Amino acid sequence: MRLLNRLNQFQRLWQPSAGSPQQTTVAELAARCFCSERHARSLLRQLEEAGWLTWQAQSGRGKRGTLTFLVSPQSVRAGMMEKVLRLGEHHNALALAQLAPEQLRHLLTPFLGGQWQNDTPTLRIPYYRPLEPLTPGFLPGRAEQHLASQIFAGLTRFEAASLRPHGDLAHHWEVSSDGLTWRFYLRSTLHWHDGKPVETAQLLTSFTHLLTQPALRQLFSSVKTVDSPHARCLRFTLFRPDYWLPWRLASYCSFLAHPDDNQTGCGPFRLTAFTPELVRLESHEFYHLQHPLLKAVEYWITPQLFDRALGTSCRHPVQIALGQEEELAHLRPVSNSISLGFCYLGVRQAGRLSIAQARRLISLIHQSGMIDALPLDEGLITPSREMLPGWELPQWPPQSVQLPPRLTLFYHLPVELHVMAQQLREQLASLGCELILHFHDAKNWDGCGELGKADMVMGDRLIGEAPEYTLEQWLRCDALWPNLLTLAQQQHLFATLDSVQRYPDDETRNAALKAVFYEMMSAGIITPLFNYRYQISAPPGINGVELNARGWFDFTRAWLPPPEQGKEAG
């Protein structure tokens, strides 16, 4: 980017006097800019023509001329930023933003939040980390899961304010009386993001590819075959009835990408940029359901903005702020909730902790006020009082059993579990039990080869749109359980889950699953620790923002009023 190089040279000229006039020579300026004197003279001429400075040379070799600055590098950079954003040159905008955090905050915030760019409603979201590739199947992060649900589509889909799946690629489905044959009838108006029609054979290929992943194969373990008996229909033939099937297909992990390009889907938004600095979505013109009200959504990956010392609004990934610097004082929470997902403690079976010892440990955590006392931001978490609403935690009489002299705890992200692990270690030390900590630097247990050696584990369980189903999926697919349960317990668990999924009635199925978890909690195998408080704040100009189950919001429902005439933002 030639303009950026010129700006950097201008910055070198400016720095020694911070913009005050300078008495200097061409040779000194050339040394400052790491170039020849001939090039320095050419640079001065170009910067004069741009109106950035004036140069009054003195005749005679070695004579000092006068360098006068007409603008500051910051104002030049802001003007260039606005120009490239209006032209849609997002990568150039991010290249211009390579500054110290204090400068970056002042430069970027006028362009964050809701903007109209070239008569196009665009939402820009600052984000605290690079996003991981959106590969088909399970994804570890909430943001990635949410993006997958905006880019890809499944045969079924969850909708706001409904715990049951609705039609997506399929407009309706039917099941045989024995629960073994399911037919999903496809819409005739489906298009991929490249504008080409969706073929039934492509969806069949994509789903078959999903089943090559062990976790997805486990999720769909009841599926015997999938075929297409006629155009616009996919037929699932099962080994045993599974009335969770529409729920499984509505989960983001089952959404289907193009068989030849796993970044191309047919969801409401298409992916147009995916770099470590920028992720950009644009609305899909051929989308088969309600079209988005926004034209584009951008994630600006700016970890610098999340430094607490800067006092910005972007402090934690579960608390999202949308808006410009001058609007921060006017931001108001537009949606907040307590997450159904939770951080949990699990106890390995047939290990050093007996049931009585596990119960004492769990009671200690819940009854000592330890979680309330965690040194975390106020309002960030709340102690878990139940696993899901109405799924109460078991209560035991006081446990006086002695704990083992040494225990090991394995835990992974989020970062709040660092604090929890330290608190638990101090608490157990006061009881004569040494707690050895092992941190797995990831959002799930994948790749943690020593997990089977743990006495206890702590992790984070995200809950999707259908809470009961999400927990059933967790039991079937997570790498945690083979390391936590004995082989006999695993076999019993899967047999029980296969029995639960046979109930056609939703309430009966949910009640049976609740009994499974209550039994596991009563045995001291698992307990929730705390839930997050999700919150999104936005200025008055951003509308349709409502938290979903993952602490994000449906991009298809957000909208921006048009700007006042003559006040269109960059």
Side-chain angles (χ1 to χ4, degrees):
M1 186 178 179
R2 184 175 298 176
L3 281 177
L4 180 60
N5 292 333
R6 187 176 300 175
L7 176 60
N8 289 335
Q9 294 287 57
F10 180 58
Q11 181 85 31
R12 293 189 181 100
L13 298 177
W14 166 281
Q15 281 176 340
S17 65
S20 299
Q22 299 176 18
Q23 301 297 316
T24 185
T25 66
V26 172
E28 290 174 349
L29 296 177
R32 196 182 303 167
C33 293
F34 307 102
C35 64
S36 66
E37 293 186 26
R38 178 180 178 182
H39 183 78
R41 291 189 180 93
S42 177
L43 176 64
L44 289 170
R45 183 174 63 254
Q46 292 171 357
L47 297 182
E48 277 192 299
E49 292 172 354
W52 296 4
L53 53 74
T54 60
W55 168 247
Q56 295 180 329
Q58 296 291 332
S59 59
R61 185 171 181 82
K63 294 288 185 177
R64 292 187 175 274
T66 303
L67 187 64
T68 304
F69 297 94
L70 306 178
V71 293
S72 69
Q74 184 177 2
S75 65
V76 170
R77 193 180 295 263
M80 293 169 65
M81 173 78 81
E82 183 173 355
K83 179 180 178 180
V84 297
L85 282 172
R86 287 186 181 277
L87 295 174
E89 298 174 356
H90 314 94
H91 292 284
N92 286 341
L94 288 163
L96 284 166
Q98 301 306 307
L99 300 172
E102 295 82 358
Q103 296 171 292
L104 179 64
R105 176 167 58 93
H106 292 296
L107 185 61
L108 282 187
T109 47
F111 302 101
L112 298 175
Q115 305 284 328
W116 279 75
Q117 174 188 310
N118 297 334
D119 295 324
T120 297
T122 302
L123 184 64
R124 297 192 180 103
I125 303 171
Y127 204 60
Y128 75 109
R129 62 172 175 84
L131 293 166
E132 299 178 27
L134 302 178
T135 55
F138 286 105
L139 296 167
R142 285 188 307 113
E144 287 83 356
Q145 293 178 14
H146 175 66
L147 277 175
S149 72
Q150 303 292 290
I151 296 170
F152 305 107
L155 293 178
T156 58
R157 194 180 196 94
F158 293 115
E159 293 186 356
S162 175
L163 300 179
R164 305 194 87 253
H166 294 255
D168 192 353
L169 299 176
H171 54 82
H172 77 279
W173 60 92
E174 61 185 20
V175 57
S176 61
S177 58
D178 61 2
L180 294 178
T181 304
W182 295 70
R183 289 181 173 85
F184 292 83
Y185 298 100
L186 304 177
R187 301 177 192 272
S188 59
T189 56
L190 303 176
H191 289 79
W192 297 109
H193 289 156
D194 60 9
K196 296 179 181 178
V198 173
E199 300 174 6
T200 305
Q202 292 174 317
L203 299 180
L204 183 58
T205 299
S206 294
F207 187 80
T208 302
H209 180 71
L210 276 180
L211 295 185
T212 62
Q213 299 183 32
L216 269 297
R217 180 64 253 178
Q218 190 62 50
L219 184 64
F220 290 98
S221 60
S222 298
V223 174
K224 182 178 181 180
T225 60
V226 185
D227 64 356
S228 178
H230 56 80
R232 320 312 298 178
C233 177
L234 285 180
R235 178 175 59 190
F236 288 71
T237 303
L238 310 185
F239 292 109
R240 51 190 170 270
D242 182 8
Y243 287 92
W244 287 120
L245 184 61
W247 278 258
R248 302 194 196 285
L249 295 170
S251 178
Y252 82 90
C253 62
S254 304
F255 283 7
L256 302 174
H258 193 289
D260 299 324
D261 180 5
N262 63 16
Q263 298 300 291
T264 297
C266 44
F269 287 90
R270 58 191 179 95
L271 189 64
T272 60
F274 194 97
T275 71
E277 300 83 20
L278 174 75
V279 174
R280 178 177 169 88
L281 313 181
E282 295 181 3
S283 60
H284 175 29
E285 294 82 357
F286 300 102
Y287 185 48
H288 51 279
L289 298 177
Q290 177 180 327
H291 281 222
L293 303 175
L294 292 171
K295 175 60 179 177
V297 178
E298 295 175 354
Y299 286 69
W300 286 43
I301 314 302
T302 51
Q304 303 95 321
L305 292 181
F306 291 79
D307 187 336
R308 289 173 178 270
L310 300 181
T312 71
S313 62
C314 309
R315 290 192 171 187
H316 195 280
V318 303
Q319 297 180 343
I320 304 167
L322 309 172
Q324 302 180 23
E325 179 76 8
E326 63 268 23
E327 295 175 320
L328 294 183
H330 305 292
L331 293 182
R332 85 285 189 208
V334 293
S335 190
N336 57 72
S337 66
I338 295 177
S339 69
L340 291 179
F342 47 82
C343 288
Y344 62 84
L345 175 83
V347 176
R348 185 170 64 87
Q349 304 302 286
R352 279 186 275 197
L353 284 167
S354 66
I355 292 179
Q357 290 171 323
R359 286 176 172 176
R360 184 188 180 191
L361 186 63
I362 292 169
S363 296
L364 174 70
I365 291 173
H366 286 298
Q367 297 172 13
S368 66
M370 181 190 311
I371 297 174
D372 286 304
L374 292 177
L376 300 172
D377 284 353
E378 183 179 357
L380 180 63
I381 67 170
T382 183
S384 300
R385 307 303 181 194
E386 49 192 359
M387 179 161 277
L388 289 179
W391 289 28
E392 66 278 0
L393 305 184
Q395 301 294 322
W396 305 295
Q399 307 285 319
S400 59
V401 62
Q402 183 75 23
L403 294 176
R406 174 177 293 184
L407 291 170
T408 59
L409 172 69
F410 281 63
Y411 66 99
H412 64 61
L413 293 170
V415 294
E416 286 71 31
L417 289 181
H418 282 303
V419 182
M420 182 68 196
Q422 296 295 334
Q423 291 283 88
L424 187 58
R425 181 166 65 177
E426 292 177 10
Q427 191 79 24
L428 294 188
S430 68
L431 300 176
C433 175
E434 180 187 9
L435 185 63
I436 309 300
L437 303 180
H438 297 271
F439 173 58
H440 179 55
D441 190 9
K443 297 182 182 69
N444 56 32
W445 293 115
D446 292 346
C448 185
E450 297 187 332
L451 184 60
K453 300 178 181 179
D455 295 306
M456 300 180 294
V457 298
M458 288 197 307
D460 186 25
R461 179 63 253 165
L462 298 175
I463 296 294
E465 294 83 352
E468 295 85 0
Y469 163 69
T470 303
L471 289 181
E472 197 270 358
Q473 176 181 286
W474 185 33
L475 292 178
R476 282 198 179 274
C477 302
D478 200 285
L480 168 69
W481 304 106
N483 290 283
L484 215 58
L485 303 177
T486 66
L487 180 58
Q489 287 174 322
Q490 291 180 63
Q491 292 172 343
H492 173 72
L493 174 62
F494 279 108
T496 303
L497 295 179
D498 289 344
S499 177
V500 169
Q501 73 182 30
R502 293 174 179 268
Y503 294 116
D505 178 69
D506 295 354
E507 291 187 6
T508 304
R509 203 165 55 250
N510 290 344
L513 187 66
K514 175 182 176 180
V516 172
F517 271 94
Y518 190 80
E519 180 181 345
M520 296 178 69
M521 289 191 292
S522 297
I525 298 173
I526 194 77
T527 189
L529 297 173
F530 55 81
N531 305 75
Y532 283 105
R533 295 182 184 270
Y534 289 154
Q535 178 172 300
I536 295 180
S537 300
I542 300 178
N543 302 285
V545 174
E546 184 175 344
L547 275 166
N548 62 18
R550 291 186 173 83
W552 283 91
F553 58 98
D554 189 345
F555 293 158
T556 66
R557 298 177 182 271
W559 63 278
L560 308 173
E564 297 179 22
Q565 188 173 2
K567 293 185 179 181
E568 182 172 337

